Coordinates of all heavy atoms in Angstrom, one line a residue:
Chain A
A1389 N -6.4 22.7 -22.8 CA -7.1 22.9 -24.1 C -8.3 21.9 -24.2 O -9.4 22.3 -24.6 CB -6.2 22.8 -25.3
C1390 N -8.0 20.7 -23.9 CA -9.1 19.7 -24.1 C -10.0 19.5 -22.9 O -11.1 18.9 -23.0 CB -8.5 18.3 -24.5 SG -7.8 17.4 -23.1
F1391 N -9.7 20.2 -21.8 CA -10.5 20.0 -20.6 C -12.0 20.3 -20.7 O -12.8 19.4 -20.4 CB -9.9 20.9 -19.4 CG -10.5 20.6 -18.1 CD1 -9.9 19.7 -17.2 CD2 -11.7 21.1 -17.7 CE1 -10.4 19.4 -16.0 CE2 -12.3 20.8 -16.5 CZ -11.6 19.9 -15.6
P1392 N -12.4 21.4 -21.3 CA -13.8 21.7 -21.4 C -14.6 20.6 -22.1 O -15.6 20.2 -21.6 CB -13.9 23.0 -22.1 CG -12.6 23.6 -21.9 CD -11.6 22.5 -21.9
A1393 N -14.1 20.1 -23.2 CA -14.8 19.1 -24.0 C -14.9 17.8 -23.2 O -16.0 17.2 -23.1 CB -14.0 18.9 -25.3
V1394 N -13.8 17.4 -22.6 CA -13.9 16.1 -21.8 C -14.8 16.3 -20.6 O -15.7 15.5 -20.4 CB -12.5 15.7 -21.3 CG1 -12.6 14.4 -20.6 CG2 -11.5 15.6 -22.4
D1395 N -14.7 17.4 -20.0 CA -15.5 17.7 -18.8 C -17.0 17.6 -19.2 O -17.8 16.9 -18.5 CB -15.2 19.1 -18.2 CG -15.9 19.3 -16.9 OD1 -15.8 18.4 -16.1 OD2 -16.4 20.4 -16.6
E1396 N -17.4 18.2 -20.3 CA -18.7 18.2 -20.7 C -19.2 16.8 -21.0 O -20.3 16.4 -20.5 CB -18.9 19.1 -22.0 CG -20.3 18.9 -22.7 CD -21.5 19.1 -21.8 OE1 -21.4 19.7 -20.7 OE2 -22.5 18.4 -22.1
S1397 N -18.4 16.0 -21.7 CA -18.9 14.6 -22.0 C -18.9 13.7 -20.8 O -19.8 12.8 -20.7 CB -18.0 14.0 -23.1 OG -17.0 13.3 -22.7
V1398 N -18.1 14.0 -19.8 CA -18.2 13.2 -18.5 C -19.4 13.6 -17.8 O -20.1 12.7 -17.3 CB -16.9 13.5 -17.6 CG1 -17.1 12.9 -16.2 CG2 -15.7 12.9 -18.3
R1399 N -19.7 14.9 -17.7 CA -20.9 15.3 -17.0 C -22.2 14.8 -17.7 O -23.1 14.3 -17.0 CB -21.0 16.9 -17.0 CG -20.2 17.5 -16.0 CD -20.2 19.0 -16.0 NE -19.0 19.6 -15.4 CZ -18.9 19.7 -14.0 NH1 -19.9 19.4 -13.2 NH2 -17.8 20.3 -13.5
R1400 N -22.2 14.7 -19.0 CA -23.3 14.2 -19.7 C -23.5 12.7 -19.3 O -24.6 12.3 -19.0 CB -23.1 14.3 -21.3 CG -24.4 14.0 -22.0 CD -24.2 14.2 -23.5 NE -23.0 13.6 -24.1 CZ -21.9 14.3 -24.6 NH1 -22.0 15.6 -24.6 NH2 -20.9 13.7 -25.0
H1401 N -22.4 12.0 -19.3 CA -22.5 10.6 -18.9 C -23.0 10.4 -17.5 O -23.8 9.5 -17.2 CB -21.1 9.9 -19.0 CG -21.1 8.5 -18.5 ND1 -20.7 8.1 -17.3 CD2 -21.4 7.4 -19.2 CE1 -20.9 6.8 -17.2 NE2 -21.3 6.3 -18.3
E1402 N -22.5 11.3 -16.5 CA -23.0 11.2 -15.2 C -24.5 11.4 -15.1 O -25.2 10.8 -14.4 CB -22.3 12.1 -14.3 CG -21.0 11.5 -13.7 CD -20.0 12.5 -13.1 OE1 -20.4 13.7 -13.0 OE2 -18.9 12.1 -12.9
R1403 N -25.0 12.5 -15.8 CA -26.4 12.8 -15.8 C -27.1 11.5 -16.3 O -28.1 11.1 -15.7 CB -26.7 13.9 -16.8 CG -26.5 15.3 -16.1 CD -27.2 16.4 -17.0 NE -26.7 16.5 -18.3 CZ -25.7 17.2 -18.7 NH1 -24.9 17.8 -17.8 NH2 -25.3 17.2 -20.0
N1404 N -26.6 10.9 -17.3 CA -27.3 9.7 -17.9 C -27.3 8.6 -16.9 O -28.3 7.9 -16.8 CB -26.5 9.3 -19.2 CG -27.4 8.6 -20.1 OD1 -27.5 7.4 -20.0 ND2 -28.1 9.3 -21.0
M1405 N -26.2 8.4 -16.2 CA -26.1 7.4 -15.2 C -27.0 7.5 -14.1 O -27.6 6.5 -13.6 CB -24.6 7.5 -14.7 CG -24.1 6.3 -13.9 SD -23.5 5.1 -15.0 CE -25.0 4.2 -15.4
L1406 N -27.3 8.7 -13.7 CA -28.1 8.9 -12.5 C -29.5 9.4 -12.9 O -30.3 9.9 -12.0 CB -27.4 9.9 -11.6 CG -26.1 9.5 -11.0 CD1 -25.4 10.7 -10.3 CD2 -26.2 8.3 -10.1
C1407 N -29.9 9.2 -14.2 CA -31.1 9.8 -14.6 C -32.3 9.2 -14.0 O -33.4 9.8 -14.0 CB -31.2 9.7 -16.2 SG -31.4 8.0 -16.7
R1408 N -32.2 8.0 -13.4 CA -33.4 7.4 -12.7 C -33.5 7.9 -11.3 O -34.5 7.6 -10.6 CB -33.3 5.9 -12.8 CG -33.7 5.3 -14.1 CD -33.6 3.8 -14.1 NE -33.9 3.3 -15.5 CZ -33.1 3.5 -16.5 NH1 -31.9 4.1 -16.4 NH2 -33.4 3.0 -17.7
L1409 N -32.6 8.7 -10.9 CA -32.8 9.3 -9.5 C -33.2 10.8 -9.6 O -32.7 11.5 -10.5 CB -31.4 9.3 -8.8 CG -30.7 7.9 -8.6 CD1 -29.5 8.0 -7.7 CD2 -31.7 6.9 -8.1
S1410 N -34.1 11.1 -8.8 CA -34.6 12.5 -8.7 C -33.5 13.3 -8.0 O -32.6 12.8 -7.4 CB -35.8 12.6 -7.9 OG -35.5 12.4 -6.5
P1411 N -33.5 14.7 -8.2 CA -32.5 15.5 -7.5 C -32.4 15.2 -6.0 O -31.3 15.1 -5.4 CB -33.0 16.9 -7.7 CG -33.8 16.8 -9.0 CD -34.4 15.5 -9.0
G1412 N -33.6 15.0 -5.4 CA -33.6 14.7 -3.9 C -32.9 13.4 -3.7 O -32.1 13.3 -2.7
E1413 N -33.1 12.4 -4.5 CA -32.5 11.1 -4.3 C -31.0 11.2 -4.5 O -30.2 10.5 -3.8 CB -33.1 10.1 -5.3 CG -34.5 9.6 -4.9 CD -35.1 8.7 -6.0 OE1 -34.9 8.9 -7.2 OE2 -35.8 7.7 -5.6
K1414 N -30.6 12.0 -5.4 CA -29.1 12.1 -5.7 C -28.5 12.7 -4.4 O -27.4 12.2 -4.0 CB -28.9 13.1 -6.8 CG -29.0 12.4 -8.2 CD -28.9 13.4 -9.3 CE -29.7 13.0 -10.5 NZ -29.9 14.1 -11.5
Q1415 N -29.1 13.7 -3.8 CA -28.6 14.3 -2.6 C -28.5 13.3 -1.5 O -27.5 13.1 -0.8 CB -29.5 15.4 -2.2 CG -28.8 16.7 -1.9 CD -29.8 17.8 -1.5 OE1 -30.8 18.1 -2.3 NE2 -29.6 18.4 -0.3
Q1416 N -29.6 12.5 -1.3 CA -29.7 11.4 -0.3 C -28.5 10.5 -0.5 O -27.7 10.2 0.5 CB -30.9 10.6 -0.5 CG -32.1 10.9 0.4 CD -33.3 10.0 0.0 OE1 -33.1 8.9 -0.5 NE2 -34.5 10.5 0.3
L1417 N -28.3 10.0 -1.8 CA -27.3 9.1 -2.1 C -25.9 9.6 -1.7 O -25.1 9.0 -1.0 CB -27.3 8.7 -3.6 CG -26.2 7.8 -4.0 CD1 -26.4 6.4 -3.3 CD2 -26.3 7.5 -5.5
A1418 N -25.6 10.9 -2.1 CA -24.3 11.5 -1.7 C -24.1 11.5 -0.2 O -23.0 11.2 0.3 CB -24.3 12.9 -2.3
R1419 N -25.2 11.8 0.5 CA -25.1 12.0 2.0 C -24.7 10.6 2.6 O -23.9 10.5 3.4 CB -26.4 12.4 2.5 CG -26.3 13.2 3.8 CD -27.7 13.5 4.4 NE -28.1 12.5 5.4 CZ -29.0 11.5 5.3 NH1 -29.6 11.4 4.1 NH2 -29.2 10.7 6.3
L1420 N -25.5 9.6 2.1 CA -25.3 8.2 2.7 C -23.9 7.7 2.4 O -23.2 7.2 3.2 CB -26.3 7.3 2.1 CG -27.8 7.6 2.5 CD1 -28.7 6.6 1.7 CD2 -28.0 7.4 4.0
L1421 N -23.4 7.9 1.1 CA -22.1 7.4 0.7 C -21.0 8.1 1.5 O -20.0 7.5 1.9 CB -21.9 7.6 -0.8 CG -22.7 6.7 -1.7 CD1 -22.4 7.0 -3.1 CD2 -22.5 5.2 -1.3
E1422 N -21.2 9.4 1.8 CA -20.2 10.1 2.5 C -20.1 9.6 4.0 O -19.1 9.5 4.5 CB -20.6 11.6 2.6 CG -19.4 12.5 3.0 CD -19.7 14.0 2.9 OE1 -20.7 14.3 2.2 OE2 -19.0 14.7 3.5
K1423 N -21.3 9.3 4.6 CA -21.3 8.7 5.9 C -20.5 7.4 5.9 O -19.7 7.2 6.8 CB -22.7 8.4 6.3 CG -23.4 9.5 7.1 CD -24.6 8.9 7.8 CE -25.4 9.9 8.6 NZ -26.6 9.4 9.3

Side-chain angles (χ1 to χ4, degrees):
Chain A
C1390 76
F1391 191 93
V1394 183
D1395 192 42
E1396 169 51 26
S1397 90
V1398 169
R1399 281 177 202 279
R1400 192 174 47 244
H1401 178 264
E1402 274 165 9
R1403 277 198 299 275
N1404 204 272
M1405 191 83 275
L1406 298 173
C1407 66
R1408 278 176 187 74
L1409 304 188
S1410 70
E1413 287 177 322
K1414 281 176 213 164
Q1415 227 179 308
Q1416 262 178 28
L1417 180 61
R1419 207 188 98 253
L1420 296 174
L1421 291 179
E1422 197 175 341
K1423 266 196 180 181

